[in-house]
Amino acid sequence: MEKSLNADQTFAQPKQKQAAKPVDRPFLAMLGMLIGGFVGMLSETSLNIALPSLITELHTSIGTMQWLVTGYMLVIGIVLPMSSLLQRIFTTRSLVLFALCDFIVGAVISALAPNFAILLVGRMIQGIATGLILPLMFTVATLIFPPYKLGSAMGMIGLVIMFAPAVGPTLAGMILGILSWHWIFWLFVPFLLIAFVLAVKFLPNVGDITKPKIDWLSLILSTIGFGGLVTGVSLASDSGWTSPQVLGTLIVSLLVLAWYIRRQLVSETPILNFRVFKKSQFTVGSVLVMLDFAIILSSMYLLPMFWQNGLAIPVALTGVVMLPGGLVNAIVSAVAGRFSDTVSTKLLTTLGFGITIIGIVMLLLASSTSPMWYVILAHIVIMMGVPMAMSPAQTFGLGALDEQTSGDGSTIMNTFQQIVGAIATAIATSLLAFGQNAAGQVSHQIAFTNGVHVGLWFTLIVAAVAFLLSFTIKDRKWA
């Protein structure tokens, strides 16, 4: 009897570890999406370092030019909530191939743009593609990888999400040192073509097409709510947080979002299933991911400008000095997911956010006369911490969901990640200006350094909140 029971257990155990939708080569199936997602996230920060050049060449103000960054995030924030619905209407394969083609078209339009308006149109077209690919990466990964390998899969995605924004300023700085800003967009095209070929050859259809009835009112509410929220925080960096335009936009968008969320909670077939937040594990993991992304976007917005305006480093050299941090980010992102399969998730996240706090404090202690090696070291420390916490937090949060809700969870996680990132960038921009004005009658370098410090205090607070929240994680052991 005992032998029979043990045999049954041995036979049943592999079934528990099987992927929901097994494929022969899951990494190759993901590779096209990973490249597309990398280019999408790279595009999110690569223009930060090029804004001064674009302002001069296209004869616009910094407030107008910032829409190249915020407009891109605006479209992502609108498209992301629709991703879960689109995955039930169209096949996984068709959505990914469309997104990659869309990104190529947007990149070519941006590269050929003769003025700001055309450039903005190209950027917003690219935002559609990024808004589609980001949640698909998570959804496909949770379906084609078995649970005990999900941490490694999230490590690959973490490499995309964390390394691309970190290395964006480096690549853009190198390009601007040799060529014009047009080549930033031309650089995207060959990688996107490779991603398209890989997706055509290796990506199967893994989603379930149910063709649900479309709730058009919810789509309108989602567009107004999420789009208005990103628009409001983007306007705040130029118009001020207390301006009627900003306050009105934020109030209306928040009310519309509340209506949208309530409608989804009572709907039998919601576009975005907010019921997943009933699982505390998903809620904690999602919040940690959002806070981690706020840290990376706010710091990567402030640091390139600190190099140029606080330390008076040329734009091409700025890209070079940020490269070590980007490389460290890539290495840690690649291994963090693998460690999360065997090492305590709680340990990795708390350690990651703790290291991040140390790096931010180091930057707060930097001045306009600090040696170059010190600022590089501070950047490296931050780039060690943020990816160390990202992959385990993603794995922890999405691990609470089943096959039916994984798509909703990844879409929600990515949607709010982009929105929180946009808010963090806007707050950092406002605090940067406040710090500069509060510096008084000092040199431009000292005033700008003071502004960066004020902005970094916000980043430090976010990191501290994430650090404390990470202690609530309960480690999970796979059956």
Side-chain angles (χ1 to χ4, degrees):
M1 181 71 178
E2 185 177 350
K3 289 183 178 179
S4 175
L5 180 61
N6 290 338
D8 289 342
Q9 287 176 341
T10 304
F11 177 77
Q13 188 174 4
K15 288 187 176 181
Q16 294 176 349
K17 295 184 178 181
Q18 290 297 311
K21 298 290 181 69
V23 298
D24 292 335
R25 291 172 288 185
F27 174 75
L28 285 177
M30 290 284 299
L31 190 54
M33 283 187 295
L34 289 171
I35 295 174
F38 180 86
V39 175
M41 297 304 295
L42 181 71
S43 181
E44 195 159 273
T45 59
S46 60
L47 282 188
N48 288 351
I49 201 171
L51 291 180
S53 302
L54 288 166
I55 290 170
T56 301
E57 184 168 338
L58 299 180
H59 309 291
T60 58
S61 67
I62 183 64
T64 301
M65 194 58 66
Q66 282 181 347
W67 275 100
L68 294 179
V69 178
T70 55
Y72 180 75
M73 298 179 74
L74 169 64
V75 175
I76 295 175
I78 292 174
V79 174
L80 270 170
M82 302 179 188
S83 175
S84 183
L85 173 64
L86 293 174
Q87 291 176 46
R88 299 173 194 149
I89 299 175
F90 302 101
T91 64
T92 307
R93 182 182 174 89
S94 62
L95 284 174
V96 172
L97 294 179
F98 169 80
L100 292 172
C101 289
D102 172 85
F103 210 127
I104 292 171
V105 171
V108 171
I109 291 174
S110 298
L112 296 173
N115 54 50
F116 172 79
I118 301 299
L119 180 57
L120 180 60
V121 169
R123 288 283 290 167
M124 297 179 82
I125 291 174
Q126 294 170 53
I128 296 173
T130 304
L132 290 173
I133 288 179
L134 284 180
L136 280 169
M137 287 194 300
F138 289 96
T139 302
V140 174
T142 57
L143 292 175
I144 68 176
F145 284 93
Y148 65 94
K149 288 187 177 180
L150 189 58
S152 298
M154 291 303 164
M156 293 189 302
I157 298 175
L159 178 63
V160 167
I161 291 179
M162 301 304 295
F163 178 55
V167 79
T170 296
L171 293 179
M174 292 178 175
I175 292 172
L176 291 173
I178 304 172
L179 303 166
S180 70
W181 60 266
H182 298 273
W183 286 94
I184 296 176
F185 299 103
W186 285 124
L187 177 68
F188 298 158
V189 176
F191 290 100
L192 292 167
L193 289 173
I194 293 171
F196 183 84
V197 172
L198 289 170
V200 168
K201 189 171 182 179
F202 298 111
L203 180 64
N205 291 318
V206 295
D208 295 322
I209 299 177
T210 58
K211 302 256 183 181
K213 182 180 178 181
I214 299 176
D215 183 355
W216 292 105
L217 177 58
S218 290
L219 288 178
I220 294 172
L221 294 175
S222 172
T223 301
I224 296 174
F226 288 111
L229 189 60
V230 176
T231 300
V233 297
S234 301
L235 292 172
S237 59
D238 194 31
S239 303
W241 289 94
T242 58
S243 70
Q245 183 184 18
V246 171
L247 290 176
T249 303
L250 290 177
I251 291 172
V252 170
S253 61
L254 288 173
L255 290 174
V256 171
L257 273 178
W259 183 8
Y260 169 73
I261 293 172
R262 178 176 174 78
R263 187 174 177 85
Q264 303 315 297
L265 289 174
V266 300
S267 173
E268 295 182 1
T269 56
I271 293 177
L272 213 54
N273 185 10
F274 285 95
R275 298 187 189 98
V276 294
F277 281 109
K278 291 181 179 179
K279 296 182 179 291
S280 60
Q281 179 179 329
F282 173 78
T283 302
V284 172
S286 297
V287 173
L288 287 174
V289 168
M290 295 172 202
L291 295 176
D292 207 343
F293 202 66
I295 294 168
I296 190 70
L297 277 193
S298 59
S299 61
M300 286 303 97
Y301 178 80
L302 293 169
L303 191 54
M305 292 190 292
F306 175 58
W307 276 110
Q308 294 179 66
N309 297 316
L311 299 174
I313 300 295
V315 62
L317 185 57
T318 299
V320 174
V321 295
M322 294 190 70
L323 182 58
L327 293 176
V328 169
N329 184 290
I331 296 171
V332 177
S333 295
V335 301
R338 294 185 180 273
F339 280 141
S340 67
D341 288 331
T342 55
V343 180
S344 164
T345 300
K346 184 175 184 177
L347 174 63
L348 287 175
T349 51
T350 52
L351 185 61
F353 286 120
I355 292 173
T356 301
I357 289 172
I358 294 173
I360 297 170
V361 171
M362 290 176 66
L363 282 182
L364 283 169
L365 296 176
S367 68
S368 59
T369 58
S370 293
M372 189 180 298
W373 66 263
Y374 176 81
V375 182
I376 293 175
L377 180 61
H379 181 214
I380 289 174
V381 173
I382 294 175
M383 291 298 100
M384 287 176 59
V386 285
M388 186 181 295
M390 174 63 84
S391 295
Q394 288 172 335
T395 306
F396 178 74
L398 293 176
L401 306 180
D402 55 25
E403 179 183 343
Q404 287 71 36
T405 57
S406 62
D408 292 306
S410 62
T411 302
I412 288 172
M413 189 178 286
N414 281 279
T415 299
F416 285 98
Q417 179 177 292
Q418 292 295 320
I419 291 172
V420 170
I423 294 172
T425 302
I427 293 174
T429 304
S430 300
L431 293 175
L432 173 65
F434 174 79
Q436 279 184 276
N437 295 331
Q441 299 298 321
V442 294
S443 68
H444 172 71
Q445 284 182 241
I446 295 176
F448 197 90
T449 299
N450 188 68
V452 170
H453 286 167
V454 175
L456 285 172
W457 272 107
F458 163 74
T459 309
L460 179 62
I461 292 172
V462 173
V465 171
F467 177 72
L468 294 175
L469 182 61
S470 65
F471 282 97
T472 65
I473 288 177
K474 295 180 180 179
D475 283 318
R476 176 180 179 183
K477 295 184 182 297
W478 299 112

